[in-house]
Amino acid sequence: MDALTDSIVQNEDISKVYLIGQDYSFGKAVAEAAQRDLGAKKASIEIVGNELHPIGKVKDFTPYARKIVSSGADAVITGNWGSDMVGLGKAIIEAGFTGPIYTYYAASNGITRTFGEAGVGKINLVGEGALNPSGSPEVDAYVEAFEAKYPDHDISQPRIANVVRMLALAIEEAGTATDVIPVAKALEGMETDNFWGGKIKMRAEDHQAIQDVYVMEQATGLKHLLDNSNFGLETAVKVEMASADMPTTCEMERPE
Amino acid sequence: MLEVRDMHAYYGKSHILQGVNLNIQEGEIVALLGRNGVGRSTTCKAVMGEVSPVGSVMFKGQEIAGKKAFEIANLGVGYVPENRDIFPGLTTRQNLILGLKPGQKDGVGRWSMQDMFDLFSNLDNRADVEASVLSGGEQQMLTMCRTLMGDPDLVMIDEPTEGLSPQMVQRVAELLQEIAKRGISTLLVEQKLSIALDIAHRVYVMGHGKVVFEGTPQELKAREDVRKEWLEV
Amino acid sequence: MDLVIINLIDGLFYGLLLFMLSSGLTLIFSMMGVLNFAHASFYMLGAYFAYQISMYLGFWMGLLVAPLLVGVVGALVERYGLRRVHQYGHVPELIFTFGLALLIEEVVKFFWGNNLMAYQEPEILKFALFSIGNNAVPAYKVFMIFTSVAIFIGLLYILTRTRIGMIIQAALSYPRTVEALGHNVPLIFMGVFGVGTALAGVAGVLAGPVLGTFPGMAFVLGSIVFVTIVIGGLGSLWGALVASLLLGWLTTFAASSSFSFATILESFGMQRPESLSDSYLRDLWTLTLPQIGPILPYILMVLILVFRPHGLFGKRDV
């Protein structure tokens, strides 16, 4: 959210934002974080709508889309996933909305393909691990190998590449794979190369992975595509070491 | 016309018909008498194929036991059920039209719609009214006429006079005689002895799923024991 | 005001979509006494068949062929499935259709997978026909509205003006008597089941590109269709139409309103507490109408069942 709101406050065209999400913990968390961050970063941005809808129960998102368009919003932020994401996104675009829609999960698993041409330039996705452009030739090779082995799937969870690498490093450093406490201690504060480019750091205080986060836009004519379609995600904004400056209130207890 | 031999029928495990034997000749009115629950209606339904019969049912020399109801109807058996089953939402005329067999044109065969209207001016007057608002007697007439529209060679009529005024009972009796006049065989299920004895050529009395008496109306009048044991309440 | 007009149009679209499903279901229910749990699954089959056909032959062939295929599947289900189960009574029939719904969902997942299908509206209808305020009305939705109205008029004509329609109407109440008049009622049952499922198929073909084509689409729409026919009155085509439109507009307006329950609490003179987490009414303070919009149809159904058990237009008990 920090990265997402950074890119919103940098965009001069956005002064009104509409928040909509599924009525459960993640949807609420997205809305709260967006309100908090936008308010702190740029007070002139107005939240013109903040709304939750029942999860998996809405058959037709058109009325929500109508409200969004009528509110005069320049951008939408949603944490929706699955069919709620597609239904909402399609309804918003069809209702004549022209601004960006910021999302977390609006790619792959048929979603990119379903949005297709309509999603180009509108669907934005926040994530770690950008493919277009990619961070290195190794990334290209990795993605191509994955696509060759699993033609019907995409790398939708790029963090897994880092998770396994960091875990392997920690096990080597601790010299044990069965005693978890030394492994955890080794992970704490670890800073290493991010497979997707740049660095990645496990902040010691709260165990958050600090890394580059990308805001990507649905686009066509890219090197790495999703859903066996002609569309993929292109990096629009790169936020380096996102949230590194965020204070933490974490007071977790650690085993001896 | 109809020859039923050793017909059995079951509802679930209860053995309703326990070997019914009866026959109806061409143009004959045969009354089927008996108290409620002895299997008279079930006999009609079994002949019609609505209840599957075990045994033999010959109609015009052809075995019809085991055939489907609409096939039996198309062979020429008509059935007027006890509950009048006027089709709601349809007019009197539309009810009559549905009596025509698939592919049959009005006026082909023994009856036309105009005949029905001539016989019962009430139906004519209310031809385009929704039929469910007709009086009970009119509805009874309508169901009988509806079945006749299909030009059956045999009609089975279940309790046509039940709940009707004496005048309407008279109209029903007239229609039954008109049916016989046009050469159609009739199986009349009745509780009212008088009408049955007046117009029937022959009489069957049923008890406990079997035919317990067979004879002419005169013979039944002479058999007080039969009437006492099987008919009178 | 603009928003009200646009909501009326959107509600009409959604209501007519519901109608295409509920009309078939209500006919099937009143004629055969079978509550077809798999009805919405035929809607899903319509969308998937049309998607598959549209890959090779385009959207319009899909619209034409997919409902026919669905209808044939429906007729076969009636002929070789339901008719055999029928003799064992209503409960086995219910279980049969319920199982069929699960089976169809699994079959769809087996052939097409869990992902959303990129089933698209035809290019020729991919534009905004007109706009009210900033809100665009896609040409495709207008096309859908006209298609479903045409289907309704066609159905009404067949049911009230043709001989086969009269037979169907009569068989809704007294199938045995209709059969005793020499009409092939089993064939008519099969036909009605086939046509009813084909209508659901049409709805799927048309709704797939708008509401999404995915394995859960039957489940999402299924329950609301039952609510529709109960509210409208079982066996009544008019009831199905009125109830569908009613629910369409109800859910649309509820979802697009910004009514908050806090307004009611404040009108009772209550103050919004400083800390909501301590308030036993905290859920009410934060609740909005759009949040509960999707359960409004169920509330309406309960009210209808209490005060008018036959439904708005029905003639028989549920």
Side-chain angles (χ1 to χ4, degrees), chain C residues 50 53-63:
Chain C
I53 294 167
S54 71
M55 300 277 282
Y56 302 104
L57 302 169
F59 175 86
W60 301 104
M61 281 309 281
L63 178 60

Coordinates of all heavy atoms in Angstrom, one line a residue, chain C residues 50 53-63:
Chain C
A50 N -21.0 -21.7 -25.3 CA -20.9 -20.6 -26.2 C -19.5 -20.1 -26.3 O -19.0 -19.7 -27.4 CB -21.8 -19.5 -25.7
I53 N -17.7 -22.5 -28.6 CA -18.1 -22.3 -30.0 C -17.6 -21.0 -30.5 O -17.1 -20.9 -31.7 CB -19.7 -22.4 -30.1 CG1 -20.1 -23.8 -29.7 CG2 -20.1 -22.0 -31.5 CD1 -21.6 -23.9 -29.5
S54 N -17.6 -20.0 -29.7 CA -17.2 -18.6 -30.2 C -15.7 -18.6 -30.5 O -15.2 -17.8 -31.3 CB -17.5 -17.6 -29.1 OG -16.6 -17.7 -28.0
M55 N -14.9 -19.6 -29.9 CA -13.5 -19.6 -30.3 C -13.3 -20.0 -31.7 O -12.4 -19.6 -32.4 CB -12.8 -20.7 -29.4 CG -12.9 -20.5 -28.0 SD -11.7 -19.4 -27.4 CE -10.3 -20.5 -27.4
Y56 N -14.2 -20.8 -32.3 CA -14.1 -21.3 -33.6 C -15.0 -20.5 -34.6 O -14.6 -20.2 -35.7 CB -14.3 -22.8 -33.7 CG -13.4 -23.5 -32.8 CD1 -13.9 -24.1 -31.6 CD2 -12.0 -23.7 -33.2 CE1 -13.0 -24.8 -30.8 CE2 -11.2 -24.4 -32.3 CZ -11.7 -24.9 -31.1 OH -10.8 -25.6 -30.3
L57 N -16.2 -20.3 -34.2 CA -17.2 -19.8 -35.1 C -17.7 -18.4 -34.8 O -18.6 -17.9 -35.5 CB -18.4 -20.7 -35.2 CG -18.0 -22.2 -35.6 CD1 -19.2 -23.1 -35.4 CD2 -17.6 -22.2 -37.1
G58 N -17.2 -17.8 -33.7 CA -17.7 -16.5 -33.4 C -18.8 -16.4 -32.4 O -19.5 -17.5 -32.2
F59 N -19.1 -15.3 -31.9 CA -20.1 -15.1 -30.8 C -21.5 -15.5 -31.3 O -22.2 -16.2 -30.6 CB -20.1 -13.7 -30.4 CG -21.2 -13.3 -29.4 CD1 -21.0 -13.6 -28.0 CD2 -22.4 -12.9 -29.8 CE1 -22.0 -13.3 -27.1 CE2 -23.4 -12.6 -28.9 CZ -23.2 -12.8 -27.5
W60 N -21.8 -15.1 -32.5 CA -23.2 -15.3 -33.0 C -23.6 -16.7 -33.2 O -24.7 -17.1 -32.8 CB -23.5 -14.5 -34.3 CG -23.2 -13.0 -34.0 CD1 -22.1 -12.3 -34.4 CD2 -24.0 -12.1 -33.2 NE1 -22.2 -11.0 -34.0 CE2 -23.3 -10.8 -33.2 CE3 -25.2 -12.2 -32.6 CZ2 -23.8 -9.7 -32.6 CZ3 -25.7 -11.1 -31.9 CH2 -25.0 -9.9 -31.9
M61 N -22.7 -17.5 -33.7 CA -23.0 -18.9 -33.8 C -23.1 -19.5 -32.4 O -23.9 -20.4 -32.1 CB -21.8 -19.7 -34.5 CG -21.9 -19.5 -36.0 SD -23.5 -20.0 -36.7 CE -23.4 -21.7 -36.7
G62 N -22.3 -19.0 -31.4 CA -22.4 -19.5 -30.1 C -23.8 -19.2 -29.5 O -24.4 -20.0 -28.9
L63 N -24.3 -18.0 -29.8 CA -25.6 -17.6 -29.3 C -26.7 -18.5 -29.9 O -27.7 -18.8 -29.2 CB -25.9 -16.1 -29.6 CG -27.2 -15.6 -29.3 CD1 -27.4 -15.6 -27.8 CD2 -27.4 -14.1 -29.7

